[in-house]
Amino acid sequence: MLKKVLVANRGEIAVRIMRACRELGVPSVAVYSDADASAPHVRAADEAVHIGAAPSAESYLRGERIIEAAQRTGADAVHPGYGFLAEREWFARAVRDAGLTFVGPPPEAIAAMGSKTAARTLAIAAGVPVVPGTTTALRDATEAREVAERFGFPVLLKAAAGGGGKGMRVVHASGDLAAALDAARREAKNAFGDDAVYVEKYIEGPRHVEIQILADAHGNVVSLGERECSVQRRHQKMIEEAPSVAVSPALRAEMGATAVRAARSAGYVSAGTCEFLLDRDGRFYFLEMNTRLQVEHPVTELVTGIDIVQWQLRVAAGERLSFTQDQVAPHGWAIECRITSEDPTNGFLPSTGRISHLQLPSGPGVRWDGGIETGSTIGLNYDPMLAKLIVWAPTRIEAIERMHRALLELTIEGVETSRDFHLRVMEDDDFRNGDIDIQWLERRLPSILAVAPPAGNLRIAAITGALIADQDRQRRARGGGALPGVASHGLVTSPAASTENGAAWRRVARIEALRPA
Ligand code: MV4
């Protein structure tokens, strides 16, 4: 096994990886910035190394400092988590060149999948279906017009260096091509320093379905089945589930075998994910491969019973996968909600502050992968994802009801979060019917946010507000100083928590009104 693993990340994923290390009996090393000196991931590790100032560019992106920290603490492996350095070919190479084990794919595989046009070429050679289109950059608008007319409008212009939707333009008619190509080029140049743009046929109303694979260094590659990731906003996934209502056992086997072929063609080792578009007619098209552990890996763990992070570590140590494809069978249903410090009622604006109160859900089938605690300060230096709430149940509808119940048990005070948004999605008829595609959330968002709280709760809110106002009046009559603050349960707490009567009133009213009967 590995001797000691440095986790080059923070937050929930660092904690998740350290848990896997603990279960394997492998000591872990945390790295942390000025902002994270007392963060949960630092205490979850056996030792910790300070690597710089709060901005990522001065800490979690400083590859050379992280490698130094590994060497100084005697770690023999580095797990990058997701984001930060996870898909930087140079970092995977630098870790290897330092004589350490990178807990992830070889740098060559990261490079092979990093360029979207190169990945398409590789996929085509491996017999993996891709969206009809080109595999080379467009020379000019004339060539773009020729190609588009061959495939038929609408088409999608995409950045070769892209991913995440940057440098993408849908074009519906020939007359719009030249301007769209200019815009896509400019955006690609700005985002990736590379203005190469290619064309694909635009697929309308598809689902985003991805296949998790696991590969060892002995040539064994298995598929762990699909995740449905269509519930997203501006390329940020909000809710993921496994399996997908749109995938039959036969389609699962076919998509799985396809993902395994794509992974093999890149010489892949470790955990990885092939992203597909699944169209309304059940045809699927390879988009790209994510050469890292993904945020949403837990839903696959819950339906397969396979600990993906533990296997990443075991495979990195040279172990063989102990199971074969025919031993992998999804069982039941898992759903994940990303709990972010964003305010859905305010355009998902990031919210900052101190977590003043945190009450976590538990009970049957509930998993919390978090990186926060009471007292955590949420700033703007890092991703707003605070934690993931994941549930498992025998069927999809039971998983939805269980998620709804678990969200009701969750209280986060001090910052705005996505909790109430998730409650509304769990109540939504389209979502409950599985009737979703990649545009569903953006179409549905206005009505989700407009849902009125149940009438009974408005009454509770009014009574609570009246009680607080009355308590405030009594306090003033006694000559008490500051007005009380209010805890999540609506009872008056410390006088320091809030100083404005109206604000406290409104806050209680809002909290109570959003708490369904
Ligand atoms: C597409 C597409 C429709 N047709 N390609 C978005 C990010 C990048 N990974 C690929 N993306 C898309 N490629 C064709 N030919 C629609 C999207 C897309 C999308 C894909 C997955 C998840 C969410 C999405 C949201 C908008 C557009």
Side-chain angles (χ1 to χ4, degrees):
M1 232 306 143
L2 304 170
K3 282 206 318 277
K4 191 189 275 191
V5 177
L6 181 138
V7 180
N9 216 298
R10 65 179 303 283
E12 70 87 18
I13 198 62
V15 174
R16 166 71 187 91
I17 295 162
M18 289 160 188
R19 283 176 165 146
C21 289
R22 185 82 67 195
E23 290 180 13
L24 288 170
V26 179
S28 59
V29 182
V31 291
Y32 64 95
S33 70
D34 286 348
D36 283 339
S38 61
H41 83 271
V42 172
R43 274 175 290 115
D46 294 282
E47 43 191 315
V49 180
H50 175 253
I51 49 165
S56 307
E58 294 170 47
S59 48
Y60 298 104
L61 291 171
R62 295 293 291 264
E64 79 295 348
R65 283 196 198 166
I66 290 168
I67 290 169
E68 258 174 49
Q71 289 172 324
R72 192 142 31 88
T73 52
D76 59 345
V78 175
H79 194 310
Y82 54 68
F84 296 128
L85 300 168
E87 291 177 282
R88 306 287 172 90
E89 177 198 356
W90 65 263
F91 182 66
R93 202 175 292 282
V95 169
R96 189 168 72 183
D97 290 348
L100 306 170
T101 300
F102 183 73
V103 185
E108 294 78 10
I110 299 177
M113 291 299 182
S115 155
K116 305 307 146 195
T117 42
R120 273 169 70 79
T121 307
L122 206 64
I124 292 165
V128 170
V130 298
V131 187
T134 62
T135 49
T136 52
L138 292 166
R139 255 175 293 113
D140 50 32
T142 311
E143 190 191 0
R145 204 165 295 124
E146 272 170 31
V147 174
E149 267 151 24
R150 183 144 39 95
F151 297 115
F153 287 94
V155 294
L156 187 59
L157 302 178
K158 287 188 174 184
K166 286 231 180 68
M168 270 185 15
R169 281 287 183 291
V170 184
V171 185
H172 292 276
S174 191
D176 303 332
L177 256 178
L181 182 60
D182 276 352
R185 279 226 165 108
R186 222 174 315 114
E187 211 172 294
K189 183 82 188 166
N190 275 333
F192 315 109
D194 176 359
D195 72 353
V197 167
Y198 69 102
V199 186
E200 281 180 15
K201 172 106 189 110
Y202 180 62
I203 309 292
E204 295 190 71
R207 291 167 181 266
H208 176 187
V209 175
E210 58 188 32
I211 299 280
Q212 174 75 56
I213 66 103
L214 207 45
D216 68 21
H218 308 278
N220 303 300
V221 188
V222 296
S223 159
L224 303 187
E226 81 281 6
R227 291 187 286 260
E228 163 73 65
C229 304
S230 296
V231 181
Q232 58 86 39
R233 179 187 166 272
R234 300 192 182 173
H235 304 291
Q236 286 299 116
K237 295 167 187 163
M238 298 295 295
I239 298 170
E240 305 95 345
E241 54 185 295
S244 164
V245 295
V247 176
S248 64
L251 183 56
R252 177 170 307 123
E254 197 188 343
M255 291 181 80
T258 303
V260 166
R261 274 205 307 281
R264 281 189 194 285
S265 75
Y268 206 84
V269 177
S270 191
T273 300
C274 291
E275 286 189 14
F276 295 93
L277 291 177
L278 178 61
D279 76 13
R280 294 178 192 140
D281 302 318
R283 283 176 300 225
F284 63 90
Y285 308 92
F286 172 81
L287 277 185
E288 51 193 84
M289 184 167 187
N290 298 316
T291 56
R292 60 166 191 277
L293 177 67
Q294 286 193 277
V295 173
E296 59 271 28
H297 76 275
V299 292
T300 301
E301 295 187 324
L302 293 186
V303 296
T304 62
I306 292 167
D307 187 320
I308 295 170
V309 181
Q310 219 184 79
W311 273 111
Q312 277 192 302
L313 295 162
R314 292 170 69 166
V315 158
E319 242 185 83
R320 286 171 185 275
L321 295 178
S322 68
F323 53 90
T324 55
Q325 188 63 65
D326 53 321
Q327 293 174 299
V328 179
H331 171 69
W333 216 280
I335 304 179
E336 171 178 283
C337 288
R338 297 188 183 196
I339 308 300
T340 66
S341 52
E342 295 173 311
D343 183 359
T345 64
N346 198 3
F348 286 84
L349 196 75
S351 171
T352 61
R354 180 181 169 274
I355 308 275
S356 55
H357 181 76
L358 181 63
Q359 191 164 312
L360 300 184
S362 57
V366 174
R367 168 170 165 181
W368 175 264
D369 276 21
I372 55 161
E373 61 195 347
T374 300
S376 292
T377 301
I378 312 304
L380 294 171
N381 281 306
Y382 312 114
D383 190 275
M385 202 184 76
L386 306 176
K388 298 161 339 200
L389 177 57
I390 313 113
V391 301
W392 182 93
T395 64
R396 184 168 187 273
I397 198 67
E398 288 168 298
I400 292 171
E401 291 302 348
R402 181 163 277 172
M403 178 62 82
H404 191 266
R405 184 270 293 173
L407 286 162
L408 287 176
E409 289 181 17
L410 171 64
T411 304
I412 303 177
E413 284 298 310
V415 292
E416 298 297 329
T417 75
S418 56
R419 172 206 182 250
D420 298 337
F421 157 81
H422 287 302
L423 275 169
R424 298 294 91 84
V425 176
M426 294 305 127
E427 294 161 4
D428 184 273
D429 285 338
D430 287 349
F431 181 77
R432 295 171 77 90
N433 291 329
D435 192 7
I436 47 173
D437 62 37
I438 60 174
Q439 272 105 34
W440 175 78
L441 181 56
E442 284 175 73
R443 272 198 315 271
R444 201 82 174 96
L445 206 50
S447 55
I448 285 174
L449 296 175
V451 170
N457 290 27
L458 286 174
R459 191 165 159 270
I460 293 167
I463 293 167
T464 313
L467 283 170
I468 288 165
D470 184 56
Q471 229 163 350
D472 286 353
R473 258 194 310 278
Q474 290 183 29
R475 228 169 252 251
R476 267 196 304 276
R478 288 198 305 270
L483 291 166
V486 176
S488 60
H489 40 70
L491 298 178
V492 174
T493 57
S494 94
S498 172
T499 52
E500 212 267 295
N501 188 26
W505 201 105
R506 278 194 299 277
R507 185 149 186 76
V508 169
R510 195 173 59 79
I511 289 164
E512 287 307 315
L514 285 167
R515 201 183 288 280

